[in-house]
Amino acid sequence: VPKCTFSSLLVLAAIDIIDTWLIKSYHKSATEWVVVPFIVITSLTFGMLQSVGLGLGASTLVFVASFYRAGVVKFIANGLTIRSTIERNCEDSLWLCQHADMIQLLVLQNYLFFGNAVSCLKYIQSMFDAEAGFDPDLPPFPKYVILDLSIVTGIDTSAVDVLDEISSLCKENKCNLIFAGIPRVIRPALITGGVKPSRTNKHLIFSPDLDSALGRAEDELLKVVGHNEEKAADVGAQRRHERKVSMVDHGLRHALREIDAQHSISLGRHLQALEKYTTPIEINAGDKLNDTGNENNLPRGLYFVESGLLKCEHDSSTSLTRGRTRSNFFAAPHMSSSTGSIGQVNARSATVGRTANLLKKNPQSAMLAQNHVFRLARIGPGWVIGSISEFVGQDIPGMYTALTPCRVHHLTFETIEELEVERPVLILHLYKLLSHLSARRQEMTIGQLATMRSIFSSTAPSKPISRSKMR
């Protein structure tokens, strides 16, 4: 082979390497491009093996710097800008519209280490900064701080110590700290580091997801600061006194007036004739309705709430989204741990196929395997229980617990069927009311979907702003 031919091949290879690793890489990332000339210079100075080691270290530093710039903060909000999916009466919703900024929320992402965890600590410290004098433009001191860790991939011991400092800071300022959606890979590190609910850490709460954390914070804020349960109990006592004084019970009319006031409609006057077809039911505080194993199940029909507060909890297994339910019940491919590789997952696993076939043959099998309960609504005067089951023809879902003494008026399903023939105009007004309530409920659901989209599509700064700059 002529020497000129072999030399030409070497020159061609050199040109190709220079074009690929020196010229084109500069257009892709100028920061990573610096590593290439750095390796060349160090190879001429120290040697090839040493230059490879130094280049590896430089590449690691570039990666860590890029990772840090990506930021650990995914979303920043407070109770005014994001709400739980729990439906509430008009009075509670209006109160939260004025005072829900006492709930602060931070959605974290990526890997938590000392550097980015300290930035979160400084931000939370700024929430409790005491400014000289009174400034009405400053947000109030928080009563609840929520840290959502559901999309955090890992944590080191130094970050656990920082979270412990955050917990101590909240405790000193009489603020509750809620960790939401803690991944299984992170929970042992937190518990080992002492960041866990206990008798000495009553302010610290673990919540399964962000929505339940928001719902719990809102409930406690309404109870402790807003005193809504005390007000509801007082209203119920006043209603009982009025019934004792009066010879006629007009409880259903009061419930219909509350519906008109909360939803800005005027259908109550057309439905007053239902009064003689309903049966009043007294519910004591703490009583559970529709509980598994409890005889106090709600028969089909409509329940108009006259006074009191109830909370409705729902089993998530009754939803249409049927996914992973327990460790040995998978209808879709899954990873054994959050640190595993997707390259090791078989998309056409026989286990997944057998489970999917079982789910197709018996959809209830997946539902029985799930045990997660979430809050659905907080019900008070102006509510109608059973409106959805009335349309779909099923039993009333969910478990209802009376928070205060309550009084409801029951209109049975059989009575509704009879009135469809005897008094169709009256039932037409009733269906008009139920359709309006269902439309309002769907409007709230759409709003919650928009909120979740804003969380996942947000580009919050890596270092949160201070409290004084939030005015």
Side-chain angles (χ1 to χ4, degrees):
V1 179
K3 293 183 178 180
C4 61
T5 304
F6 184 72
S7 301
S8 300
L9 290 175
L10 291 177
V11 172
L12 179 62
I15 294 174
D16 184 63
I17 291 174
I18 292 173
D19 180 63
T20 302
W21 296 101
L22 193 63
I23 298 175
K24 291 183 178 179
S25 64
Y26 179 80
H27 295 290
K28 293 180 180 178
S29 174
T31 305
E32 297 179 5
W33 173 85
V34 176
V35 179
V36 178
F38 176 75
I39 294 176
V40 173
I41 295 173
T42 53
S43 65
L44 297 175
T45 306
F46 303 104
M48 181 60 68
L49 188 60
Q50 292 83 350
S51 66
V52 172
L54 292 172
L56 181 61
S59 300
T60 304
L61 291 175
V62 171
F63 171 76
V64 172
S66 301
F67 187 82
Y68 182 76
R69 283 197 302 270
V72 70
V73 178
K74 177 65 177 175
F75 188 74
I76 305 174
N78 58 39
L80 295 177
T81 57
I82 181 173
R83 291 279 188 85
S84 68
T85 56
I86 298 176
E87 297 182 62
R88 304 183 184 277
N89 57 39
C90 184
E91 183 179 356
D92 289 350
S93 297
L94 291 176
W95 191 92
L96 288 173
C97 286
Q98 299 297 322
H99 303 91
D101 51 350
M102 286 187 279
I103 301 172
Q104 295 292 330
L105 167 68
L106 230 64
V107 179
L108 306 182
Q109 64 178 351
N110 296 335
Y111 190 89
L112 273 178
F113 57 93
F114 181 78
N116 51 25
V118 167
S119 66
C120 296
L121 172 61
K122 292 180 179 179
Y123 171 63
I124 295 176
Q125 285 176 339
S126 69
M127 295 180 184
F128 304 103
D129 287 343
E131 302 290 334
F134 174 74
D135 190 347
D137 293 331
L138 284 178
F141 294 121
K143 295 294 184 182
Y144 289 88
V145 174
I146 301 174
L147 295 181
D148 184 11
L149 308 179
S150 56
I151 54 177
V152 172
T153 57
I155 189 171
D156 64 7
T157 54
S158 59
V160 173
D161 294 336
V162 175
L163 293 180
D164 189 36
E165 291 184 37
I166 293 175
S167 175
S168 301
L169 176 66
C170 292
K171 185 177 182 180
E172 292 175 2
N173 291 274
K174 298 181 181 180
C175 174
N176 293 281
L177 178 62
I178 304 179
F179 289 101
I182 304 175
R184 287 184 298 175
V185 68
I186 294 177
R187 184 181 288 266
L190 294 179
I191 295 175
T192 304
V195 185
K196 59 181 179 179
S198 63
R199 292 183 179 179
T200 57
N201 290 333
K202 294 182 179 180
H203 70 289
L204 193 57
I205 303 168
F206 283 179
S207 184
D209 51 52
L210 176 59
D211 186 65
S212 60
L214 283 168
R216 180 164 185 169
E218 291 171 354
D219 288 346
E220 292 298 321
L221 203 63
L222 285 166
K223 179 180 179 180
V224 177
V225 182
H227 305 288
N228 68 329
E229 291 186 12
E230 296 180 10
K231 295 177 182 178
D234 292 341
V235 171
Q238 181 181 357
R239 292 293 305 164
R240 287 192 296 271
H241 176 71
E242 292 176 355
R243 286 194 299 272
K244 290 180 180 179
V245 175
S246 176
M247 299 298 295
V248 182
D249 183 3
H250 292 306
L252 179 64
R253 296 187 182 185
H254 176 77
L256 293 174
R257 285 196 298 269
E258 289 290 336
I259 294 175
D260 287 346
Q262 292 192 24
H263 300 279
S264 301
I265 55 178
S266 56
L267 294 174
R269 56 189 178 89
H270 302 292
L271 298 174
Q272 292 181 1
L274 290 174
E275 194 168 36
K276 62 181 179 180
Y277 301 103
T278 60
T279 303
I281 301 176
E282 300 285 345
I283 306 174
N284 298 321
D287 287 354
K288 295 181 182 294
L289 305 177
N290 268 17
D291 189 10
T292 304
N294 192 339
E295 297 180 355
N296 295 332
N297 290 330
L298 295 175
R300 283 187 61 188
L302 299 177
Y303 296 81
F304 299 87
V305 181
E306 177 188 350
S307 62
L309 279 178
L310 301 97
K311 68 176 180 179
C312 177
E313 295 175 326
H314 205 278
D315 189 348
S316 59
S317 63
T318 58
S319 66
L320 296 178
T321 304
R322 300 169 300 181
R324 182 167 55 193
T325 56
R326 59 185 180 186
S327 58
N328 59 345
F329 197 99
F330 296 94
H334 69 282
M335 297 173 65
S336 57
S337 66
S338 59
T339 58
S341 172
I342 195 173
Q344 301 173 355
V345 179
N346 185 2
R348 303 192 70 228
S349 168
T351 303
V352 173
R354 287 192 295 269
T355 308
N357 291 331
L358 178 63
L359 183 60
K360 294 175 183 177
K361 294 178 181 178
N362 185 15
Q364 297 297 326
S365 61
M367 298 180 182
L368 295 176
Q370 199 164 19
N371 194 26
H372 177 57
V373 176
F374 64 94
R375 286 288 306 281
L376 187 64
R378 193 178 182 92
I379 298 171
W383 280 75
V384 181
I385 302 175
S387 57
I388 296 179
S389 61
E390 175 63 27
F391 285 111
V392 300
Q394 298 177 352
D395 293 334
I396 297 177
M399 180 182 69
Y400 294 83
T401 304
L403 302 175
T404 64
C406 303
R407 192 170 195 258
V408 297
H409 296 265
H410 181 210
L411 179 64
T412 64
F413 178 73
E414 293 75 16
T415 303
I416 295 175
E417 289 183 327
E418 294 174 1
L419 292 177
E420 287 178 352
V421 178
E422 299 175 1
R423 305 195 62 175
V425 177
L426 178 62
I427 294 301
L428 181 63
H429 286 296
L430 177 63
Y431 286 157
K432 185 178 180 180
L433 171 66
L434 298 181
S435 62
H436 177 84
L437 298 180
S438 298
R440 290 289 299 272
R441 186 170 297 167
Q442 182 155 354
E443 183 181 353
M444 293 175 61
T445 303
I446 295 173
Q448 290 295 336
L449 292 175
T451 300
M452 297 305 297
R453 181 186 180 279
S454 66
I455 293 177
F456 288 107
S457 62
S458 65
T459 55
S462 58
K463 293 183 179 181
I465 59 178
S466 65
R467 176 173 173 261
S468 59
K469 295 181 180 179
M470 296 175 64
R471 64 180 69 191

